[in-house]
Amino acid sequence: IIRMEAVNKVYDLGSVRVEALKDITFFIEEGEHVAIMGPSGSGKTTLLNLLGCLDRPTSGRYFIENTEVSTLSDDALSAIRGRRLGFIFQAYNLIPQLTVVENIGIPLFYQGEAERTIREKSAEMARLVGLGDRLSHRPTQLSGGQQQRVAIARALVNNPAVILADEPTGNLDSTTGREIMNLLVELNHQGKTLIIVTHDASIAQYAHRILRMLDARLYEN
Amino acid sequence: IIRMEAVNKVYDLGSVRVEALKDITFFIEEGEHVAIMGPSGSGKTTLLNLLGCLDRPTSGRYFIENTEVSTLSDDALSAIRGRRLGFIFQAYNLIPQLTVVENIGIPLFYQGEAERTIREKSAEMARLVGLGDRLSHRPTQLSGGQQQRVAIARALVNNPAVILADEPTGNLDSTTGREIMNLLVELNHQGKTLIIVTHDASIAQYAHRILRMLDARLYEN
Ligand SMILES: Nc1ncnc2c1ncn2[C@@H]1O[C@H](COP(=O)(O)OP(=O)(O)OP(=O)(O)O)[C@@H](O)[C@H]1O
Ligand SMILES: Nc1ncnc2c1ncn2[C@@H]1O[C@H](COP(=O)(O)OP(=O)(O)OP(=O)(O)O)[C@@H](O)[C@H]1O
Ligand SMILES: [Mg+2]
Ligand SMILES: [Mg+2]
């Protein structure tokens, strides 16, 4: 379902130039559960952002279902992101002015779903991650791990085909982290492709396959 | 050095009322290294914010070196925070417009130190946490774990007597996490009091004593 060929990513902002991805070539099958591990700064978030169509390679080619992503317009990319992908950000990216339920419902809002459907699906998703008694709170009224769970619920509410998770359990205790992994593994068993960036070996071991990043390069065991 | 007696904290904002801390009584000796563990939402950050004088109890008494904190003016509290405390925030709270070096130097800037001293001490602190080649980057040009390390460096740059750390290794790989813990343990051996909130048992085991939070209450083994 996903394929990269000789992908490079350079951040070049004049004063700053960083080669964040070097010669990345790999593929992921539909329905696979893959973990990506590696030291801080090795390029994991940069890779996940490219996979999630949030950014483009500096060179090389990236295919989703055999369509080269670089040939797609911004609108087409946006449609793929909205319907097929669910993204859990390392920094959550919650909207401070919106409640838990409203934050979770954002992907459905962009899909033009009915308001009542959005509210019901979002509340159900909130309960699924243990936030049923926090529906009206705003992000600043939540603990770190509760904010992380809002980000997780938002990524799943539109029933995406591919779930990309950047350190999804970093602020969760081990019990809550296990509950979240059981939820993600269940979704994988239903056929969703799962790509999880994690520092935690106990989280990576749920995966079918572990890829490792080191200094902007990707290695398969 | 630190003592709490029957401390309660209630968040009451009309539509929302949460009893975040219930009847908290405990003390920490000077130079101790204490870990605080507990499930997501149990009150750890709330407790640490009170310990760090960033917030006040709803009821009960909090003493720093036998002075009751509630009797102090906001200015006096601010002085304690600036000179005696170093705080590593769960969400980092970095200033987006400032570089790594400028972010780290903020506590020294508020203490009125000379600009050149600030720059030298901040650069040295950056190198100590492995960011020597990222001095001019801004937070959005850093990985998650690099941002976390800027927050750590900032908390240590003014040589505080008490270090309060909220999930200081949540976005770090195990090797970098160990390096940070070795740094903190070294500072503890030099006499600094260390209070670390963590979900990670492998981080908590560095401590002399582990306190546990559950549903807003504190338990000692
Ligand atoms: N400003 C606020 N208004 C209302 N409730 C709040 C506010 N801040 C925190 N809470 C609630 O207080 C409780 C304790 O929050 P706290 O941030 O201390 O938890 P925590 O133990 O640090 O959790 P985590 O491990 O997820 O970071 C949570 O249930 C949270 O929803
Ligand atoms: N906008 C940017 N401009 C310049 N350099 C950047 C930018 N964003 C990231 N970098 C650099 O690119 C490298 C890779 O960053 P990335 O966020 O992918 O790392 P990571 O593996 O996710 O790290 P972590 O585990 O700490 O989250 C880092 O060294 C970082 O400093
Ligand atoms: Mg990252
Ligand atoms: Mg917390």
Side-chain angles (χ1 to χ4, degrees):
Chain A
I1 196 171
I2 271 173
R3 194 165 85 255
M4 279 197 172
E5 288 175 7
V7 163
N8 293 282
K9 180 66 181 179
V10 178
Y11 292 113
D12 196 342
L13 301 146
S15 57
V16 164
R17 179 194 163 90
V18 175
E19 294 181 13
L21 296 177
K22 293 178 185 166
D23 201 24
I24 305 285
T25 297
F26 74 106
F27 65 88
I28 295 176
E29 311 260 21
E30 186 168 6
E32 237 196 311
H33 174 174
V34 175
I36 302 174
M37 298 192 76
S40 175
S42 55
K44 304 179 297 298
T45 293
T46 304
L47 178 60
L48 211 65
N49 286 347
L50 262 57
L51 290 173
C53 303
L54 295 163
D55 199 0
R56 295 174 186 272
T58 307
S59 67
R61 302 197 289 168
Y62 171 40
F63 300 84
I64 292 183
E65 291 169 334
N66 288 321
T67 305
E68 194 183 340
V69 165
S70 59
T71 65
L72 297 173
S73 67
D74 281 350
D75 281 351
L77 274 187
S78 183
I80 288 178
R81 281 200 307 269
R83 279 205 318 278
R84 316 261 304 138
L85 305 179
F87 207 108
I88 302 167
F89 295 92
Q90 189 169 8
Y92 316 155
N93 297 348
L94 303 183
I95 302 197
Q97 296 83 0
L98 301 184
T99 64
V100 165
V101 165
E102 290 165 348
N103 262 288
I104 292 173
I106 284 172
L108 299 175
F109 174 75
Y110 277 115
Q111 306 255 329
E113 292 220 25
E115 192 182 330
R116 178 168 162 185
T117 313
I118 295 177
R119 232 181 313 119
E120 287 172 1
K121 283 189 184 181
S122 303
E124 179 184 346
M125 212 61 231
R127 274 173 225 123
L128 209 54
V129 298
L131 296 177
D133 58 353
R134 292 282 182 273
L135 299 182
S136 315
H137 283 230
R138 286 179 172 72
T140 50
Q141 298 168 333
L142 297 175
S143 78
Q146 290 167 344
Q147 293 175 11
Q148 185 157 41
R149 283 180 271 161
V150 175
I152 292 165
R154 181 185 60 196
L156 306 180
V157 75
N158 62 336
N159 199 26
V162 181
I163 299 164
L164 303 126
D166 201 345
E167 310 283 359
T169 61
N171 271 306
L172 301 176
D173 54 279
S174 48
T175 302
T176 313
R178 261 197 305 275
E179 290 166 4
I180 292 300
M181 284 315 293
N182 289 338
L183 170 61
L184 294 175
V185 165
E186 171 58 28
L187 292 171
N188 177 242
H189 290 166
Q190 293 172 16
K192 298 177 189 320
T193 307
L194 202 46
I195 306 170
I196 301 195
V197 164
T198 182
H199 287 304
D200 192 334
S202 70
I203 297 296
Q205 52 96 11
Y206 287 80
H208 299 140
R209 181 160 58 116
I210 299 178
L211 305 175
R212 294 180 189 275
M213 291 211 63
L214 187 62
D215 294 331
R217 294 183 186 276
L218 191 73
Y219 301 90
E220 289 227 35
N221 292 2
Chain B
I1 194 172
I2 270 172
R3 194 165 85 256
M4 279 196 173
E5 289 175 6
V7 162
N8 293 282
K9 180 66 181 179
V10 178
Y11 292 113
D12 195 342
L13 302 145
S15 57
V16 163
R17 179 194 162 88
V18 175
E19 293 180 15
L21 296 176
K22 294 178 184 168
D23 202 24
I24 305 285
T25 297
F26 74 106
F27 65 89
I28 295 176
E29 312 259 21
E30 186 168 7
E32 238 196 313
H33 174 175
V34 175
I36 303 174
M37 297 192 76
S40 174
S42 55
K44 305 180 297 298
T45 293
T46 304
L47 177 60
L48 212 66
N49 285 345
L50 262 57
L51 290 173
C53 302
L54 295 162
D55 200 358
R56 294 173 186 272
T58 307
S59 67
R61 302 197 289 167
Y62 172 38
F63 300 84
I64 293 184
E65 291 169 334
N66 289 320
T67 306
E68 194 184 338
V69 165
S70 59
T71 64
L72 298 172
S73 68
D74 281 350
D75 281 351
L77 274 188
S78 185
I80 288 178
R81 280 200 309 268
R83 279 204 320 278
R84 316 259 306 139
L85 305 179
F87 207 109
I88 303 167
F89 295 92
Q90 190 170 7
Y92 317 153
N93 297 349
L94 304 183
I95 302 196
Q97 296 82 0
L98 302 183
T99 64
V100 165
V101 164
E102 291 164 346
N103 262 288
I104 292 173
I106 284 172
L108 299 174
F109 174 76
Y110 276 117
Q111 308 254 328
E113 293 220 23
E115 192 182 328
R116 177 168 163 184
T117 314
I118 295 178
R119 231 179 316 118
E120 288 173 1
K121 284 188 182 180
S122 303
E124 180 185 344
M125 212 62 230
R127 274 173 225 122
L128 208 55
V129 297
L131 295 177
D133 58 352
R134 292 282 181 275
L135 300 181
S136 316
H137 283 232
R138 287 180 171 72
T140 50
Q141 296 168 334
L142 298 174
S143 78
Q146 290 166 345
Q147 291 174 13
Q148 184 156 42
R149 283 180 273 161
V150 175
I152 292 165
R154 181 185 60 195
L156 306 179
V157 74
N158 61 335
N159 200 26
V162 181
I163 298 164
L164 303 125
D166 201 345
E167 311 282 357
T169 61
N171 271 306
L172 302 175
D173 54 276
S174 49
T175 302
T176 311
R178 261 198 304 276
E179 289 166 5
I180 292 300
M181 284 314 294
N182 289 337
L183 170 60
L184 293 175
V185 164
E186 171 57 29
L187 292 170
N188 177 241
H189 290 167
Q190 292 171 17
K192 299 178 188 318
T193 307
L194 201 47
I195 306 170
I196 301 195
V197 165
T198 183
H199 287 306
D200 193 334
S202 70
I203 297 298
Q205 52 96 12
Y206 287 81
H208 298 141
R209 182 161 57 116
I210 298 179
L211 306 174
R212 293 181 189 274
M213 291 212 64
L214 187 63
D215 293 331
R217 294 184 186 274
L218 191 74
Y219 302 90
E220 290 229 33
N221 294 1

